[in-house]
Amino acid sequence: MKLFRYGPPGDERPGLLDAHGVRRDLSGVLGDITPHTLGPDALARLARLDTQRLPEVDPAVRLGPPVGQIGNVLAIGLNYADHAAEAGLPLPRQPIVFSKHTAAIAGPHDEVWAPPGAAKLDWEVELAVVIGRSAWHVPEADALGYVAGYCLANDVSERAHQLEMDGQWIKGKSYPTHCPLGPWLVTTDEVPDPQAVDLWLDVNGQPRQRGSTRTMVFGVAYLVSYLSRFMHLLPGDVILTGTPPGVGMGHKPPLFLRPGDVVALGGGVLGEQRQRVVAAPLGAAP
């Protein structure tokens, strides 16, 4: 099952992509796709719907992030062996964990803002995990049972803010629009093996990233189990699982995004995203 949210930012409505690829409105069934609608029973009820009776959604309408009211965005650094190599860094012995501010979350095709003075704006295609059930000290063997589904993510990063300033990576990861999610929340029945997802990303039509979740240092089940040892994972929490090689800072010389650039990325059943980079509008907060 593929779920989505559509409409203006902050006023999205729930939808479902039917078996024929037609977008259907779920507003008559539930108010929104939120942490309260991600549990196994709630998803099972949606799966039993006669989708042909649901109203169609205009495919030209904006898609928002596929889950609303996300509480936490956790991310894993250097989780692909070949990405660590291009960064010139050793493989981590344990997952490198950081977070992104939830105000960075955006729709899959929204514009990406280049911060004022940004010099090293980078891209990172990733598999995102959406937690569906409260997870606390979960064994690795059971961990995937706590996942509601998966979606595509672009972990947009300002590398100068991330790596060249004192403090935590979160400063280079949290600018508004720097966490596009979607287009779909793909439930686990359609992703039987999260370690078999191919990922790609192009910039201005030029191939930049090609990889597979097969080469993760720490797989999805391990990450869910590991994180649950240190924090109480809640429904709606999102885990960005790392990026394959080909990021801008890994090129020689490095390549970074500028206003006018177009980033396209995809992940098979997860769907595709497309973002244009623009100078950040200043003044009122988004």
Side-chain angles (χ1 to χ4, degrees), residues 2-13:
K2 296 182 178 69
L3 303 174
F4 64 89
R5 297 168 69 248
Y6 70 97
D11 193 27
E12 290 93 348
R13 302 172 68 178

Side-chain angles (χ1 to χ4, degrees), residues 4-16 23-27 31-33 57-66 106-110 181 183-184:
F4 64 89
R5 297 168 69 248
Y6 70 97
D11 193 27
E12 290 93 348
R13 302 172 68 178
L16 179 151
R23 299 180 188 183
R24 301 283 181 173
D25 178 49
L26 285 173
S27 297
D32 199 357
I33 299 167
V57 174
D58 183 351
V61 174
R62 170 190 176 266
L63 292 177
H109 309 306
D110 291 348
L181 297 175
W184 330 118

